Amino acid sequence: SRPTVFIQRDYSSGTICKFQTKFPSELESRLDKQQFEETIQTLNNLYAEAEKLGGKSYLEGCLACLTAYTIFLCMETHYEKVLKKIARYIKDQNEKIYAPRGLLLTDPIERGLRVVEITIFEDRSIGSGR
Amino acid sequence: MKNCEYQQIDPQALPTPTPTPPPHHGNDSDKKEEPKRPRRKWEVFPGKNRFYCEGRIIVARQSGVLPLTLGLILVTSGLFFIFDCPFLVKHLTSCIPVIGGVLFVFVVITLLQTSFTDPGILPRATPDEAADIEKQIDNTGNTSYRPPPRTKEVLINQQVVKLKYCFTCKMFRPPRTSHCSLCDNCVERFDHHCPWVGNCVGKRNYRFFYTFIVSLSFLTAFIFGCVTTHLALRAQGGKGLVFALQESPGSAVELVICFFSVWSILGLSGFHTYLVASNLTTNEDIKGSWSGKSGEDVTNPYSHKNIFINCCSVLCGPMPPSLIDRRGFLPTDDSAQTGGTDIEVPTLATKSEINVCTQGTKGLLESATLPPLLSTSCPQGKPQTAHTCPDSSPAVNSDPSPELSMGCGARHAASSQGDASPSRHTKACSKKSKRAALHIPNTAFDIPVSPTSPDAASFAPLH
Protein backbone atom coordinates (compact mmCIF):
# COMPACT_ATOMS: atom_id res chain seq x y z
CA SER A 1 0.00 0.00 0.00
CA ARG A 2 1.03 3.59 -0.38
CA PRO A 3 3.40 5.18 2.11
CA THR A 4 1.44 6.91 4.81
CA VAL A 5 2.31 9.34 7.54
CA PHE A 6 0.31 9.28 10.75
CA ILE A 7 0.06 12.42 12.83
CA GLN A 8 -0.65 11.23 16.35
CA ARG A 9 -2.66 12.87 19.06
CA ASP A 10 -1.14 15.36 21.44
CA TYR A 11 -2.39 14.65 24.96
CA SER A 12 -0.37 17.30 26.76
CA SER A 13 -3.48 19.39 27.33
CA GLY A 14 -5.58 16.51 28.53
CA THR A 15 -8.20 14.50 26.74
CA ILE A 16 -9.25 17.19 24.26
CA CYS A 17 -8.78 16.41 20.61
CA LYS A 18 -5.48 17.89 19.52
CA PHE A 19 -2.89 16.69 17.04
CA GLN A 20 0.87 17.03 17.16
CA THR A 21 2.23 19.83 15.04
CA LYS A 22 5.65 18.30 14.65
CA PHE A 23 6.52 18.24 10.97
CA PRO A 24 7.19 14.67 9.80
CA SER A 25 10.39 14.15 7.87
CA GLU A 26 8.71 12.10 5.15
CA LEU A 27 6.87 15.17 3.94
CA GLU A 28 9.89 17.41 3.77
CA SER A 29 10.28 17.02 0.05
CA ARG A 30 6.62 17.69 -0.66
CA LEU A 31 5.34 20.31 1.65
CA ASP A 32 6.29 23.48 3.47
CA LYS A 33 6.62 23.23 7.21
CA GLN A 34 4.48 26.35 7.57
CA GLN A 35 1.72 24.94 5.43
CA PHE A 36 1.57 21.76 7.42
CA GLU A 37 1.60 23.49 10.76
CA GLU A 38 -1.12 25.85 9.67
CA THR A 39 -3.34 22.96 8.60
CA ILE A 40 -2.87 21.07 11.83
CA GLN A 41 -3.24 24.17 13.96
CA THR A 42 -6.50 25.10 12.25
CA LEU A 43 -7.78 21.57 12.79
CA ASN A 44 -6.84 21.77 16.46
CA ASN A 45 -8.63 25.07 16.79
CA LEU A 46 -11.75 23.64 15.16
CA TYR A 47 -11.80 20.65 17.50
CA ALA A 48 -11.29 22.98 20.44
CA GLU A 49 -14.31 24.94 19.26
CA ALA A 50 -16.35 21.74 19.10
CA GLU A 51 -15.42 20.72 22.62
CA LYS A 52 -15.47 24.16 24.16
CA LEU A 53 -17.15 24.50 27.52
CA GLY A 54 -19.11 27.66 27.68
CA GLY A 55 -22.50 29.23 28.04
CA LYS A 56 -23.85 27.84 24.80
CA SER A 57 -22.81 24.26 25.41
CA TYR A 58 -24.10 24.36 28.99
CA LEU A 59 -27.43 25.63 27.74
CA GLU A 60 -27.62 22.82 25.23
CA GLY A 61 -26.68 20.35 27.95
CA CYS A 62 -29.20 21.60 30.49
CA LEU A 63 -31.99 21.68 27.95
CA ALA A 64 -31.11 18.17 26.93
CA CYS A 65 -31.22 17.03 30.55
CA LEU A 66 -34.65 18.55 31.10
CA THR A 67 -36.01 16.65 28.13
CA ALA A 68 -34.41 13.43 29.37
CA TYR A 69 -31.90 13.79 26.52
CA THR A 70 -34.52 13.04 23.93
CA ILE A 71 -33.58 16.14 21.96
CA PHE A 72 -30.39 14.36 20.92
CA LEU A 73 -32.58 12.17 18.78
CA CYS A 74 -33.83 15.04 16.67
CA MET A 75 -31.34 17.85 16.98
CA GLU A 76 -27.89 18.09 15.53
CA THR A 77 -25.45 18.83 18.33
CA HIS A 78 -22.93 21.65 18.27
CA TYR A 79 -20.15 19.09 18.01
CA GLU A 80 -21.67 17.54 14.90
CA LYS A 81 -22.01 20.94 13.29
CA VAL A 82 -18.32 21.64 13.83
CA LEU A 83 -17.41 18.20 12.50
CA LYS A 84 -19.13 19.11 9.26
CA LYS A 85 -17.13 22.32 9.19
CA ILE A 86 -13.97 20.30 9.67
CA ALA A 87 -14.88 17.97 6.84
CA ARG A 88 -15.34 20.94 4.54
CA TYR A 89 -12.03 22.41 5.64
CA ILE A 90 -10.18 19.18 4.95
CA LYS A 91 -11.77 18.83 1.54
CA ASP A 92 -10.78 22.40 0.81
CA GLN A 93 -7.20 21.87 1.96
CA ASN A 94 -6.92 18.72 -0.09
CA GLU A 95 -8.09 20.48 -3.22
CA LYS A 96 -5.97 23.56 -2.81
CA ILE A 97 -2.77 22.41 -1.21
CA TYR A 98 -2.35 18.69 -0.75
CA ALA A 99 -3.60 17.12 -3.93
CA PRO A 100 -1.38 19.32 -6.13
CA ARG A 101 1.55 17.96 -4.15
CA GLY A 102 0.48 14.36 -4.44
CA LEU A 103 -0.76 14.08 -0.88
CA LEU A 104 -4.12 13.24 0.62
CA LEU A 105 -5.40 14.18 4.05
CA THR A 106 -7.85 11.80 5.64
CA ASP A 107 -10.43 13.26 7.99
CA PRO A 108 -9.48 12.09 11.51
CA ILE A 109 -13.10 11.21 12.27
CA GLU A 110 -12.72 8.29 9.88
CA ARG A 111 -9.90 7.02 12.05
CA GLY A 112 -11.73 7.45 15.33
CA LEU A 113 -10.02 10.79 15.98
CA ARG A 114 -6.81 8.89 16.65
CA VAL A 115 -4.63 10.17 13.81
CA VAL A 116 -4.45 12.49 10.87
CA GLU A 117 -3.53 10.20 8.04
CA ILE A 118 -1.58 11.64 5.13
CA THR A 119 -1.21 9.34 2.16
CA ILE A 120 1.73 9.96 -0.13
CA PHE A 121 1.05 9.27 -3.75
CA GLU A 122 3.77 8.53 -6.24
CA ASP A 123 4.57 11.80 -7.80
CA ARG A 124 4.12 11.03 -11.46
CA SER A 125 3.74 14.67 -12.23
CA ILE A 126 7.26 15.62 -11.22
CA GLY A 127 8.75 17.72 -13.88
CA SER A 128 5.42 18.40 -15.59
CA GLY A 129 4.57 21.98 -14.83
CA ARG A 130 1.47 22.59 -12.76
CA MET B 1 -36.94 -1.82 21.71
CA LYS B 2 -38.12 -3.68 18.70
CA ASN B 3 -35.79 -5.72 16.57
CA CYS B 4 -36.03 -4.25 13.15
CA GLU B 5 -35.40 -6.40 10.18
CA TYR B 6 -31.82 -5.74 9.40
CA GLN B 7 -30.88 -7.99 6.57
CA GLN B 8 -32.30 -10.12 3.89
CA ILE B 9 -31.85 -13.81 4.43
CA ASP B 10 -31.94 -16.01 1.36
CA PRO B 11 -35.67 -16.57 0.81
CA GLN B 12 -35.14 -20.11 -0.37
CA ALA B 13 -33.56 -21.05 2.91
CA LEU B 14 -36.57 -20.07 4.98
CA PRO B 15 -40.23 -20.87 4.75
CA THR B 16 -41.25 -17.25 5.30
CA PRO B 17 -40.01 -14.36 3.26
CA THR B 18 -39.64 -12.01 6.21
CA PRO B 19 -36.94 -13.25 8.50
CA THR B 20 -36.93 -12.95 12.27
CA PRO B 21 -33.61 -11.27 12.79
CA PRO B 22 -31.48 -12.90 15.47
CA PRO B 23 -29.07 -10.38 16.90
CA HIS B 24 -25.55 -11.03 15.78
CA HIS B 25 -22.60 -9.08 14.69
CA GLY B 26 -20.77 -11.72 12.75
CA ASN B 27 -20.33 -11.44 9.08
CA ASP B 28 -20.35 -15.08 8.05
CA SER B 29 -23.95 -15.35 6.98
CA ASP B 30 -23.68 -12.08 5.11
CA LYS B 31 -21.39 -13.57 2.56
CA LYS B 32 -23.84 -16.25 1.51
CA GLU B 33 -26.61 -14.04 0.26
CA GLU B 34 -26.52 -11.07 -2.05
CA PRO B 35 -22.78 -10.54 -2.26
CA LYS B 36 -23.30 -7.30 -4.12
CA ARG B 37 -25.18 -5.64 -1.26
CA PRO B 38 -22.89 -3.06 0.36
CA ARG B 39 -22.32 -3.90 3.96
CA ARG B 40 -22.46 -1.53 6.83
CA LYS B 41 -19.68 -1.21 9.32
CA TRP B 42 -21.69 -2.52 12.25
CA GLU B 43 -21.94 -5.89 10.58
CA VAL B 44 -18.20 -6.40 10.79
CA PHE B 45 -17.66 -4.68 14.09
CA PRO B 46 -14.88 -6.54 15.92
CA GLY B 47 -16.06 -5.93 19.47
CA LYS B 48 -18.50 -8.06 21.41
CA ASN B 49 -21.54 -5.92 20.82
CA ARG B 50 -24.90 -6.52 19.34
CA PHE B 51 -26.73 -4.19 17.04
CA TYR B 52 -30.39 -3.65 16.37
CA CYS B 53 -32.35 -1.55 13.95
CA GLU B 54 -29.70 -1.54 11.26
CA GLY B 55 -27.00 -0.46 13.65
CA ARG B 56 -28.89 2.33 15.32
CA ILE B 57 -29.00 0.61 18.67
CA ILE B 58 -25.93 -0.87 20.29
CA VAL B 59 -25.79 -3.08 23.36
CA ALA B 60 -23.14 -5.16 25.01
CA ARG B 61 -22.95 -8.85 24.23
CA GLN B 62 -24.78 -9.90 27.34
CA SER B 63 -27.64 -7.74 28.35
CA GLY B 64 -26.64 -8.48 31.90
CA VAL B 65 -29.56 -7.93 34.18
CA LEU B 66 -31.15 -5.18 32.16
CA PRO B 67 -34.43 -7.10 31.87
CA LEU B 68 -34.41 -7.47 35.65
CA THR B 69 -33.77 -3.78 36.14
CA LEU B 70 -36.55 -2.84 33.77
CA GLY B 71 -38.82 -5.44 35.28
CA LEU B 72 -38.31 -4.24 38.82
CA ILE B 73 -38.90 -0.65 37.85
CA LEU B 74 -42.03 -1.46 35.84
CA VAL B 75 -43.47 -3.78 38.47
CA THR B 76 -42.86 -1.42 41.37
CA SER B 77 -44.18 1.57 39.50
CA GLY B 78 -47.12 -0.38 38.18
CA LEU B 79 -48.09 -1.54 41.66
CA PHE B 80 -47.70 2.01 42.88
CA PHE B 81 -50.08 3.40 40.32
CA ILE B 82 -52.59 0.62 40.80
CA PHE B 83 -52.66 0.23 44.57
CA ASP B 84 -51.44 3.41 46.13
CA CYS B 85 -52.38 6.22 43.83
CA PRO B 86 -56.17 5.87 43.99
CA PHE B 87 -56.13 5.94 47.78
CA LEU B 88 -53.67 8.81 47.99
CA VAL B 89 -55.44 10.87 45.37
CA LYS B 90 -58.62 10.54 47.38
CA HIS B 91 -57.04 11.32 50.73
CA LEU B 92 -54.19 13.63 49.88
CA THR B 93 -53.61 15.26 46.54
CA SER B 94 -53.73 14.39 42.89
CA CYS B 95 -50.19 15.65 42.38
CA ILE B 96 -48.90 12.32 43.52
CA PRO B 97 -49.47 10.28 40.38
CA VAL B 98 -48.26 13.23 38.31
CA ILE B 99 -44.95 13.43 40.12
CA GLY B 100 -44.66 9.67 40.08
CA GLY B 101 -45.41 9.59 36.40
CA VAL B 102 -42.81 12.19 35.51
CA LEU B 103 -40.15 10.44 37.54
CA PHE B 104 -41.07 7.08 36.07
CA VAL B 105 -40.81 8.38 32.51
CA PHE B 106 -37.46 9.99 33.28
CA VAL B 107 -36.13 6.79 34.79
CA VAL B 108 -37.16 4.56 31.92
CA ILE B 109 -35.95 6.90 29.20
CA THR B 110 -32.55 7.48 30.77
CA LEU B 111 -32.16 3.79 31.49
CA LEU B 112 -32.79 2.89 27.87
CA GLN B 113 -30.47 5.61 26.70
CA THR B 114 -27.71 4.38 28.97
CA SER B 115 -28.14 0.87 27.69
CA PHE B 116 -28.45 1.58 24.01
CA THR B 117 -25.96 4.38 23.51
CA ASP B 118 -22.43 3.86 22.35
CA PRO B 119 -20.46 4.62 25.52
CA GLY B 120 -17.53 6.08 23.64
CA ILE B 121 -16.06 3.07 21.93
CA LEU B 122 -12.79 3.69 20.15
CA PRO B 123 -12.54 1.95 16.81
CA ARG B 124 -9.53 -0.29 16.49
CA ALA B 125 -6.47 0.89 14.67
CA THR B 126 -6.21 0.09 11.00
CA PRO B 127 -3.41 -2.29 10.04
CA ASP B 128 -1.39 0.60 8.62
CA GLU B 129 -1.62 2.55 11.84
CA ALA B 130 -0.73 -0.48 13.91
CA ALA B 131 2.33 -1.11 11.78
CA ASP B 132 3.37 2.52 12.12
CA ILE B 133 3.12 2.40 15.90
CA GLU B 134 5.01 -0.88 16.03
CA LYS B 135 7.83 0.74 14.12
CA GLN B 136 8.04 3.52 16.64
CA ILE B 137 8.13 1.26 19.65
CA ASP B 138 11.57 0.07 20.57
CA ASN B 139 11.63 -3.69 20.20
CA THR B 140 14.28 -5.81 21.77
CA GLY B 141 14.22 -7.76 18.53
CA ASN B 142 14.12 -11.16 20.15
CA THR B 143 10.85 -12.80 19.19
CA SER B 144 10.95 -15.51 21.81
CA TYR B 145 11.38 -13.07 24.65
CA ARG B 146 8.09 -11.63 25.82
CA PRO B 147 8.21 -7.92 25.11
CA PRO B 148 7.77 -5.66 28.11
CA PRO B 149 4.45 -3.89 28.52
CA ARG B 150 4.34 -0.95 26.23
CA THR B 151 3.68 2.35 27.89
CA LYS B 152 4.17 5.93 26.89
CA GLU B 153 4.41 8.78 29.33
CA VAL B 154 2.84 12.11 28.74
CA LEU B 155 2.68 15.26 30.79
CA ILE B 156 -0.80 16.58 31.42
CA ASN B 157 -1.14 19.68 33.55
CA GLN B 158 2.20 19.01 35.19
CA GLN B 159 1.12 15.47 36.01
CA VAL B 160 2.85 12.43 34.56
CA VAL B 161 0.28 10.12 33.01
CA LYS B 162 1.14 6.71 31.64
CA LEU B 163 -0.56 5.71 28.41
CA LYS B 164 -0.84 2.00 27.93
CA TYR B 165 -0.69 0.14 24.66
CA CYS B 166 -3.79 -1.91 23.98
CA PHE B 167 -2.88 -5.22 22.40
CA THR B 168 -6.39 -5.85 21.15
CA CYS B 169 -7.04 -2.50 19.60
CA LYS B 170 -3.44 -2.01 18.54
CA MET B 171 -3.04 1.52 19.74
CA PHE B 172 -1.92 3.57 22.68
CA ARG B 173 -4.97 4.29 24.72
CA PRO B 174 -5.79 7.95 25.19
CA PRO B 175 -5.81 9.12 28.81
CA ARG B 176 -8.78 7.89 30.85
CA THR B 177 -9.52 5.23 28.28
CA SER B 178 -9.82 1.64 29.37
CA HIS B 179 -10.41 -1.62 27.59
CA CYS B 180 -13.55 -3.42 28.66
CA SER B 181 -13.07 -7.12 28.29
CA LEU B 182 -16.79 -7.85 28.46
CA CYS B 183 -17.41 -5.77 25.40
CA ASP B 184 -13.91 -6.19 24.01
CA ASN B 185 -13.63 -2.51 23.23
CA CYS B 186 -11.57 0.41 24.37
CA VAL B 187 -13.97 2.94 25.86
CA GLU B 188 -13.15 6.59 26.35
CA ARG B 189 -13.38 8.00 29.86
CA PHE B 190 -14.24 4.51 30.99
CA ASP B 191 -16.19 4.54 34.21
CA HIS B 192 -17.26 0.93 34.65
CA HIS B 193 -19.20 -1.83 32.98
CA CYS B 194 -22.63 -1.83 34.50
CA PRO B 195 -24.45 -5.17 34.41
CA TRP B 196 -27.68 -3.53 35.55
CA VAL B 197 -27.89 -1.57 32.34
CA GLY B 198 -26.07 -4.15 30.28
CA ASN B 199 -23.53 -1.73 28.85
CA CYS B 200 -20.31 0.09 29.64
CA VAL B 201 -20.59 3.54 31.13
CA GLY B 202 -18.18 5.89 29.45
CA LYS B 203 -17.80 9.33 28.04
CA ARG B 204 -20.90 9.42 25.91
CA ASN B 205 -23.45 7.87 28.19
CA TYR B 206 -22.22 8.88 31.65
CA ARG B 207 -24.67 11.75 31.81
CA PHE B 208 -27.53 9.40 30.97
CA PHE B 209 -26.35 7.00 33.64
CA TYR B 210 -26.06 9.71 36.25
CA THR B 211 -29.49 11.10 35.45
CA PHE B 212 -30.83 7.56 35.62
CA ILE B 213 -29.53 6.80 39.09
CA VAL B 214 -30.48 10.20 40.47
CA SER B 215 -34.01 10.04 39.11
CA LEU B 216 -34.26 6.45 40.27
CA SER B 217 -33.27 7.56 43.77
CA PHE B 218 -36.02 10.13 43.73
CA LEU B 219 -38.51 7.63 42.34
CA THR B 220 -37.65 4.97 44.88
CA ALA B 221 -37.70 7.39 47.77
CA PHE B 222 -40.94 8.89 46.52
CA ILE B 223 -42.67 5.53 46.18
CA PHE B 224 -41.34 4.45 49.55
CA GLY B 225 -42.68 7.60 51.17
CA CYS B 226 -46.04 7.30 49.47
CA VAL B 227 -46.46 3.66 50.39
CA THR B 228 -45.56 4.36 53.99
CA THR B 229 -48.05 7.22 54.10
CA HIS B 230 -50.68 5.06 52.46
CA LEU B 231 -50.27 2.24 54.92
CA ALA B 232 -50.12 4.62 57.85
CA LEU B 233 -53.36 6.26 56.79
CA ARG B 234 -55.05 2.91 56.32
CA ALA B 235 -53.84 1.65 59.67
CA GLN B 236 -55.27 4.66 61.47
CA GLY B 237 -58.05 4.33 63.94
CA GLY B 238 -56.60 1.33 65.64
CA LYS B 239 -57.04 -0.93 62.64
CA GLY B 240 -53.42 -1.98 62.61
CA LEU B 241 -50.77 -2.53 60.01
CA VAL B 242 -51.81 -6.08 59.19
CA PHE B 243 -55.25 -4.90 58.21
CA ALA B 244 -53.75 -2.23 56.02
CA LEU B 245 -51.51 -4.73 54.30
CA GLN B 246 -54.37 -7.07 53.68
CA GLU B 247 -56.31 -4.33 52.03
CA SER B 248 -53.45 -3.35 49.81
CA PRO B 249 -51.17 -6.33 49.21
CA GLY B 250 -49.32 -4.63 46.38
CA SER B 251 -48.03 -2.09 48.81
CA ALA B 252 -46.26 -4.81 50.74
CA VAL B 253 -44.28 -5.81 47.68
CA GLU B 254 -43.40 -2.22 46.94
CA LEU B 255 -42.37 -1.64 50.50
CA VAL B 256 -39.96 -4.53 50.45
CA ILE B 257 -38.45 -3.64 47.09
CA CYS B 258 -38.10 0.02 47.88
CA PHE B 259 -36.82 -0.44 51.37
CA PHE B 260 -33.96 -2.58 50.23
CA SER B 261 -33.18 -0.60 47.12
CA VAL B 262 -33.35 2.94 48.34
CA TRP B 263 -30.21 2.73 50.44
CA SER B 264 -28.04 1.29 47.73
CA ILE B 265 -29.37 3.61 45.03
CA LEU B 266 -29.02 6.65 47.23
CA GLY B 267 -25.54 5.56 48.13
CA LEU B 268 -24.63 5.06 44.51
CA SER B 269 -26.04 8.46 43.57
CA GLY B 270 -24.07 10.07 46.34
CA PHE B 271 -20.92 8.32 45.25
CA HIS B 272 -21.33 9.38 41.65
CA THR B 273 -22.15 12.93 42.68
CA TYR B 274 -18.80 12.97 44.42
CA LEU B 275 -17.15 11.60 41.28
CA VAL B 276 -18.82 14.20 39.09
CA ALA B 277 -17.81 17.02 41.40
CA SER B 278 -14.19 15.92 41.34
CA ASN B 279 -14.22 14.91 37.67
CA LEU B 280 -13.16 11.36 38.47
CA THR B 281 -14.20 8.06 37.05
CA THR B 282 -15.08 5.01 39.12
CA ASN B 283 -12.10 3.32 37.51
CA GLU B 284 -9.69 6.02 38.67
CA ASP B 285 -11.23 6.22 42.10
CA ILE B 286 -10.93 2.51 42.71
CA LYS B 287 -7.37 2.39 41.46
CA GLY B 288 -6.52 5.44 43.48
CA SER B 289 -4.81 7.01 40.50
CA TRP B 290 -4.95 10.50 41.88
CA SER B 291 -5.24 10.01 45.58
CA GLY B 292 -1.53 10.13 46.21
CA LYS B 293 -1.31 6.74 47.82
CA SER B 294 2.12 6.15 46.44
CA GLY B 295 3.38 9.04 48.45
CA GLU B 296 3.93 11.35 45.53
CA ASP B 297 2.19 14.61 45.20
CA VAL B 298 -0.45 13.67 42.67
CA THR B 299 -3.58 15.55 41.82
CA ASN B 300 -6.24 14.86 39.26
CA PRO B 301 -5.00 16.61 36.13
CA TYR B 302 -8.44 16.59 34.52
CA SER B 303 -10.23 18.41 37.29
CA HIS B 304 -11.07 22.04 36.70
CA LYS B 305 -10.48 22.67 40.41
CA ASN B 306 -13.98 24.01 40.75
CA ILE B 307 -16.93 21.85 41.71
CA PHE B 308 -19.39 23.78 39.61
CA ILE B 309 -17.25 23.67 36.48
CA ASN B 310 -16.53 19.98 37.00
CA CYS B 311 -20.22 19.21 37.23
CA CYS B 312 -21.03 21.27 34.19
CA SER B 313 -18.29 19.80 32.07
CA VAL B 314 -19.23 16.22 32.91
CA LEU B 315 -22.99 16.55 32.72
CA CYS B 316 -23.67 19.47 30.43
CA GLY B 317 -20.63 19.47 28.21
CA PRO B 318 -20.86 19.02 24.47
CA MET B 319 -22.02 15.59 23.39
CA PRO B 320 -19.21 13.91 21.48
CA PRO B 321 -20.17 11.92 18.41
CA SER B 322 -19.97 8.17 18.11
CA LEU B 323 -16.61 7.26 16.62
CA ILE B 324 -17.49 3.84 15.37
CA ASP B 325 -19.76 4.98 12.56
CA ARG B 326 -22.02 1.98 12.85
CA ARG B 327 -24.19 2.75 9.89
CA GLY B 328 -21.46 3.78 7.49
CA PHE B 329 -20.79 1.56 4.54
CA LEU B 330 -17.69 -0.48 4.27
CA PRO B 331 -15.21 0.46 1.58
CA THR B 332 -15.53 -1.94 -1.34
CA ASP B 333 -12.27 -3.73 -0.63
CA ASP B 334 -13.66 -4.70 2.81
CA SER B 335 -10.30 -4.41 4.47
CA ALA B 336 -11.19 -1.55 6.78
CA GLN B 337 -12.51 -3.16 9.92
CA THR B 338 -12.05 -6.85 9.40
CA GLY B 339 -8.32 -6.57 9.82
CA GLY B 340 -8.83 -6.31 13.52
CA THR B 341 -10.36 -9.73 13.81
CA ASP B 342 -7.57 -11.34 11.86
CA ILE B 343 -4.83 -9.80 13.91
CA GLU B 344 -6.51 -10.80 17.15
CA VAL B 345 -5.67 -14.47 16.78
CA PRO B 346 -1.89 -14.32 17.22
CA THR B 347 -2.20 -11.97 20.15
CA LEU B 348 -4.27 -14.45 22.12
CA ALA B 349 -1.16 -16.48 22.73
CA THR B 350 0.67 -13.59 24.27
CA LYS B 351 -2.35 -12.29 26.13
CA SER B 352 -2.34 -14.81 28.90
CA GLU B 353 1.28 -14.12 29.70
CA ILE B 354 1.16 -10.42 29.83
CA ASN B 355 -0.04 -9.42 33.24
CA VAL B 356 -0.51 -5.76 32.58
CA CYS B 357 -2.71 -4.22 29.97
CA THR B 358 -4.32 -7.43 28.87
CA GLN B 359 -7.66 -9.10 28.82
CA GLY B 360 -6.66 -12.74 28.69
CA THR B 361 -6.61 -13.48 32.37
CA LYS B 362 -9.42 -11.11 33.16
CA GLY B 363 -11.65 -13.79 34.63
CA LEU B 364 -8.92 -15.05 36.96
CA LEU B 365 -7.99 -11.58 38.04
CA GLU B 366 -11.55 -10.62 38.75
CA SER B 367 -12.17 -13.65 40.91
CA ALA B 368 -8.97 -12.82 42.74
CA THR B 369 -10.14 -9.30 43.39
CA LEU B 370 -13.70 -10.13 44.27
CA PRO B 371 -13.25 -11.44 47.83
CA PRO B 372 -11.37 -8.35 49.02
CA LEU B 373 -14.08 -6.16 47.57
CA LEU B 374 -16.72 -8.13 49.43
CA SER B 375 -15.00 -7.48 52.70
CA THR B 376 -15.64 -3.77 52.56
CA SER B 377 -18.40 -2.46 54.71
CA CYS B 378 -20.08 -1.02 51.73
CA PRO B 379 -23.69 -0.13 52.45
CA GLN B 380 -24.49 -0.71 48.86
CA GLY B 381 -24.43 -4.40 49.49
CA LYS B 382 -22.44 -7.07 47.84
CA PRO B 383 -20.56 -6.19 44.73
CA GLN B 384 -21.06 -8.47 41.85
CA THR B 385 -18.94 -8.77 38.80
CA ALA B 386 -20.18 -9.43 35.38
CA HIS B 387 -17.36 -11.50 34.09
CA THR B 388 -17.62 -14.14 31.49
CA CYS B 389 -15.74 -16.75 29.59
CA PRO B 390 -14.26 -14.76 26.77
CA ASP B 391 -15.56 -16.10 23.50
CA SER B 392 -16.57 -19.37 25.00
CA SER B 393 -19.99 -19.35 23.44
CA PRO B 394 -19.95 -16.94 20.59
CA ALA B 395 -23.30 -17.97 19.28
CA VAL B 396 -25.10 -17.55 22.54
CA ASN B 397 -28.41 -15.85 22.31
CA SER B 398 -28.33 -14.61 25.81
CA ASP B 399 -31.66 -14.76 27.47
CA PRO B 400 -31.14 -14.05 31.12
CA SER B 401 -34.80 -14.33 32.13
CA PRO B 402 -34.83 -18.04 33.01
CA GLU B 403 -31.81 -17.62 35.21
CA LEU B 404 -33.26 -14.57 36.86
CA SER B 405 -36.29 -16.39 38.13
CA MET B 406 -34.28 -17.99 40.88
CA GLY B 407 -35.75 -16.69 44.06
CA CYS B 408 -34.82 -13.62 45.86
CA GLY B 409 -31.22 -13.76 45.86
CA ALA B 410 -28.74 -14.98 43.40
CA ARG B 411 -28.36 -12.17 40.99
CA HIS B 412 -26.33 -13.48 38.13
CA ALA B 413 -25.01 -10.64 36.17
CA ALA B 414 -23.70 -12.64 33.26
CA SER B 415 -25.69 -15.71 33.96
CA SER B 416 -26.52 -16.39 30.36
CA GLN B 417 -22.98 -17.46 29.66
CA GLY B 418 -23.15 -20.17 32.25
CA ASP B 419 -19.81 -19.11 33.58
CA ALA B 420 -18.75 -21.39 36.36
CA SER B 421 -16.47 -18.98 38.06
CA PRO B 422 -15.70 -19.84 41.68
CA SER B 423 -16.79 -16.48 42.95
CA ARG B 424 -20.36 -16.93 41.86
CA HIS B 425 -21.48 -18.45 45.12
CA THR B 426 -20.67 -15.21 46.84
CA LYS B 427 -23.41 -13.50 44.96
CA ALA B 428 -26.20 -15.25 46.79
CA CYS B 429 -27.29 -12.25 48.74
CA SER B 430 -29.66 -12.50 51.56
CA LYS B 431 -31.20 -9.16 51.00
CA LYS B 432 -32.74 -8.10 47.78
CA SER B 433 -30.81 -4.97 46.99
CA LYS B 434 -31.76 -3.60 43.68
CA ARG B 435 -28.67 -1.48 43.37
CA ALA B 436 -25.88 -3.36 45.00
CA ALA B 437 -22.41 -2.13 44.33
CA LEU B 438 -22.33 -3.99 41.09
CA HIS B 439 -20.35 -1.45 39.30
CA ILE B 440 -17.06 -3.16 39.31
CA PRO B 441 -14.76 -1.34 36.99
CA ASN B 442 -12.41 -3.26 34.84
CA THR B 443 -9.41 -2.53 36.93
CA ALA B 444 -8.44 -6.13 37.25
CA PHE B 445 -6.46 -6.37 34.12
CA ASP B 446 -4.57 -3.23 34.90
CA ILE B 447 -3.47 -4.40 38.29
CA PRO B 448 -0.58 -6.84 38.27
CA VAL B 449 -2.38 -9.75 39.81
CA SER B 450 -2.52 -8.44 43.37
CA PRO B 451 -5.98 -8.04 44.88
CA THR B 452 -7.19 -4.54 45.23
CA SER B 453 -7.88 -4.55 48.93
CA PRO B 454 -6.35 -1.16 49.66
CA ASP B 455 -8.25 0.25 46.76
CA ALA B 456 -11.42 -1.54 47.69
CA ALA B 457 -11.48 0.15 51.03
CA SER B 458 -11.75 3.44 49.30
CA PHE B 459 -14.71 2.23 47.32
CA ALA B 460 -17.03 3.10 50.12
CA PRO B 461 -19.16 6.00 48.93
CA LEU B 462 -19.25 9.46 50.30
CA HIS B 463 -15.69 9.48 51.51
Side-chain angles (χ1 to χ4, degrees), chain B residues 59 68 120 206 275:
Chain B
V59 293
L68 173 71
Y206 187 73
L275 289 182

Coordinates of all heavy atoms in Angstrom, one line a residue, chain B residues 59 68 120 206 275:
Chain B
V59 N -25.8 -2.6 22.0 CA -25.8 -3.1 23.4 C -24.6 -4.0 23.5 O -24.0 -4.4 22.5 CB -27.1 -3.9 23.7 CG1 -28.3 -3.0 23.8 CG2 -27.3 -5.1 22.8
L68 N -34.0 -7.5 34.2 CA -34.4 -7.5 35.7 C -34.6 -6.0 36.1 O -35.6 -5.7 36.8 CB -33.3 -8.2 36.5 CG -33.6 -8.1 38.0 CD1 -34.7 -8.9 38.4 CD2 -32.3 -8.5 38.8
G120 N -18.8 5.4 24.0 CA -17.5 6.1 23.6 C -16.5 5.1 23.2 O -15.3 5.2 23.5
Y206 N -22.3 8.7 30.2 CA -22.2 8.9 31.6 C -23.3 9.8 32.1 O -23.9 9.6 33.2 CB -20.9 9.4 32.0 CG -20.7 9.5 33.5 CD1 -20.4 8.4 34.3 CD2 -20.7 10.7 34.2 CE1 -20.3 8.4 35.6 CE2 -20.6 10.8 35.6 CZ -20.3 9.6 36.3 OH -20.2 9.7 37.6
L275 N -18.0 11.8 42.4 CA -17.2 11.6 41.3 C -17.3 12.7 40.3 O -16.3 13.2 39.7 CB -17.5 10.3 40.6 CG -17.1 9.0 41.3 CD1 -17.4 7.8 40.4 CD2 -15.6 8.9 41.6

